[in-house]
Amino acid sequence: MSMQGFIRSDGRKGIRNQVVVAYLVECAHHVAREIAWPNRDQAHVIGFPGCFPNEYAQKMMERLCTHPNVGAVLLVSLGCESFNRMQLEKIVRDSGRPVETLVIQKTGGTLSAIKRGQAFVMQAIADLADTPRVPLDLSDLIVGTVCGGSDGTSGISGNPATGRAFDRLVAAGATCIFEETGELIGCEDIMSSRAATPELSVELRASVEKAARYYAALGFGSFASGNADGGLSTIEEKSMGAYAKSGASPISGLIKPGDIPTKGGLYLMDVVPDGPVQFGFPNISDNAEIVEMMASGAHMTIFVTGRGSVVGSAISPVIKVAANPEMYDRLHEDMDINAGRIISGDADIDAVGNEIVAMVESVAAGQPTKSEQLGHQEFILTYKTFEPIGPACLPA
């Protein structure tokens, strides 16, 4: 398939050309939403609701506002929050993107800020029409995957098919990211045996052990009542299904949110915070993990669901893979791929894996996903803390 991307000053290529309207505290959320609304197909709202500063949130916003799918940025500040808006604006401007900071307390209030912000968005959209396009290959792509609303079918249809797709994408030079160390408990041995180096094997195992300690301190884990209602029995059973979406390729590295892989391969993302439990449940929803993979450069996310989910994402498209054939029949208007055909005997894992790869190519070429067509732009960013990865996490 012939694909073209939007070239950015750092050499990365985007598959979309969005204007980001970013609120820097919850007090500015409404104004940001109203600014984007008239042009919501191309203007996407993201933001950090907290007033107290957080290094993780700062890094995430910097990565997201300079994501290859982003062409211009409007920062919306109330004015008295502790977010370092000047640093964020400088990073965006240094990336070559048009950027403006709108401080509501200095602009005259809600209506005045909305009017000024909408003028910026309209001008940015007009200017972005001239963004240079260049050939795009699978090796230019970063693709993430999550599974949510899992049931007993997820681990035998949707996740294995996504794993086959990941194997094909990695072989073509793409960068693929799977996540949720809290849902890999019980898979430490088989996962670490796939590490590219002995040192990385140790790091992979340690990331899952950290997740187990974190959840033990919380008193609960990543196994919900909805999973049990869907036929799953234990976190180990859920973990095996979640692990299947990583495929069988060697694991090239371990990253944390906001770390951008420098070359193709398969990467595990550790989303469980470092240090003592401070901020509660680390994956408050699937959208939080989608946001973290976007911060690491994911152009799109493959979302496998058995019980059903209707969410999408700001900035980057979400491809929905239905694992359960009955759920697909009920929610087909939100699903892109019917992996439930594996269970009904109408397709095998390889066939659906190939269908997912074809969908990745189509979305990269500009085809909207179902969640994009429906206008889904969910976004969640909360407090976390992470230590930098060590040299063993990214083998040369």
Side-chain angles (χ1 to χ4, degrees):
M1 178 176 293
S2 176
M3 300 185 293
Q4 286 193 318
F6 299 93
I7 187 68
R8 307 303 179 191
S9 61
D10 61 4
R12 294 189 293 169
K13 304 171 185 177
I15 65 170
R16 299 292 186 266
N17 206 17
Q18 314 289 11
V19 177
V20 157
V21 181
Y23 60 91
L24 305 183
V25 66
E26 183 61 27
C27 309
H29 192 165
H30 173 73
V31 170
R33 185 168 54 240
E34 290 296 303
I35 288 170
W37 183 253
N39 296 284
R40 58 192 177 277
D41 288 344
Q42 193 170 347
H44 288 199
V45 177
I46 70 171
F48 177 58
C51 188
F52 190 80
N54 177 251
E55 184 178 348
Y56 157 81
Q58 182 81 30
K59 178 179 180 179
M60 293 287 288
M61 290 292 286
E62 291 170 4
R63 293 288 192 267
L64 291 163
C65 288
T66 56
H67 189 282
N69 288 354
V70 173
V73 178
L74 175 67
L75 305 179
V76 185
S77 163
L78 176 61
C80 54
E81 71 276 358
S82 297
F83 196 95
N84 192 339
R85 63 177 184 266
M86 291 179 287
Q87 176 179 315
L88 179 57
E89 179 180 329
K90 181 179 186 302
I91 285 174
V92 176
R93 179 169 288 107
D94 289 347
S95 76
R97 292 166 172 81
V99 59
E100 182 175 317
T101 299
L102 188 62
V103 181
I104 298 170
Q105 291 172 346
K106 297 180 180 179
T107 307
T110 297
L111 296 178
S112 298
I114 291 171
K115 181 179 179 180
R116 179 173 165 183
Q118 288 178 346
F120 173 89
V121 169
M122 291 179 63
Q123 185 62 54
I125 290 174
D127 293 342
L128 290 179
D130 297 325
T131 304
R133 303 293 295 271
V134 294
L136 182 73
D137 191 74
L138 284 175
S139 61
D140 295 311
L141 296 180
I142 300 178
V143 182
T145 186
V146 302
C147 53
S150 300
D151 69 2
T153 68
S154 300
I156 56 178
S157 60
N159 284 338
T162 298
R164 296 292 171 86
F166 260 31
D167 288 341
R168 282 198 55 193
L169 291 168
V170 169
T175 301
C176 293
I177 304 172
F178 70 110
E179 46 63 61
E180 191 40 88
T181 47
E183 291 179 1
L184 293 172
I185 295 170
C187 300
E188 301 94 319
D189 289 340
I190 54 175
M191 182 173 66
S192 61
S193 69
R194 294 167 55 195
T197 66
E199 294 79 9
L200 177 59
S201 177
V202 172
E203 296 289 346
L204 294 174
R205 180 182 294 275
S207 70
V208 178
E209 292 173 347
K210 179 187 73 171
R213 291 193 303 271
Y214 194 98
Y215 285 122
L218 284 176
F220 57 88
S222 189
F223 187 86
S225 59
N227 299 140
D229 290 342
L232 292 171
S233 62
T234 61
I235 184 59
E236 288 82 6
E237 184 181 11
K238 184 180 181 183
S239 293
M240 289 300 296
Y243 174 75
K245 69 181 183 289
S246 69
S249 303
I251 298 175
S252 299
L254 172 71
I255 61 174
K256 298 180 182 181
D259 296 329
I260 301 174
T262 57
K263 63 180 181 179
L266 178 65
Y267 295 81
L268 170 65
M269 175 175 283
D270 177 4
V271 302
V272 175
D274 292 318
V277 176
Q278 301 180 66
F279 307 117
F281 200 54
N283 54 327
I284 55 174
S285 80
D286 303 309
N287 284 97
E289 294 167 359
I290 292 173
V291 167
E292 290 176 325
M293 286 191 290
M294 287 194 302
S296 289
H299 292 87
M300 66 185 80
T301 301
I302 302 169
F303 190 145
V304 182
T305 180
R307 302 208 65 189
S309 175
V310 300
V311 301
S313 177
I315 299 179
S316 293
V318 172
I319 298 172
K320 292 282 193 26
V321 177
N324 188 317
E326 295 179 357
M327 182 276 288
Y328 178 83
D329 290 340
R330 292 194 306 272
L331 298 179
H332 63 273
E333 62 189 38
D334 287 273
M335 300 294 127
D336 297 287
I337 304 286
N338 180 12
R341 293 181 295 123
I342 297 169
I343 294 174
S344 62
D346 297 319
D348 61 18
I349 292 174
D350 283 324
V352 177
N354 290 339
E355 186 178 347
I356 294 172
V357 172
M359 185 72 188
V360 167
E361 293 177 324
S362 296
V363 170
Q367 175 184 328
T369 65
K370 291 286 186 68
S371 62
E372 285 184 289
Q373 293 172 3
L374 293 166
H376 283 283
Q377 295 181 15
E378 285 80 3
F379 184 91
I380 298 174
L381 179 60
T382 56
Y383 287 95
K384 283 188 179 182
T385 182
F386 287 96
E387 299 172 0
I389 57 174
C393 295
L394 293 175

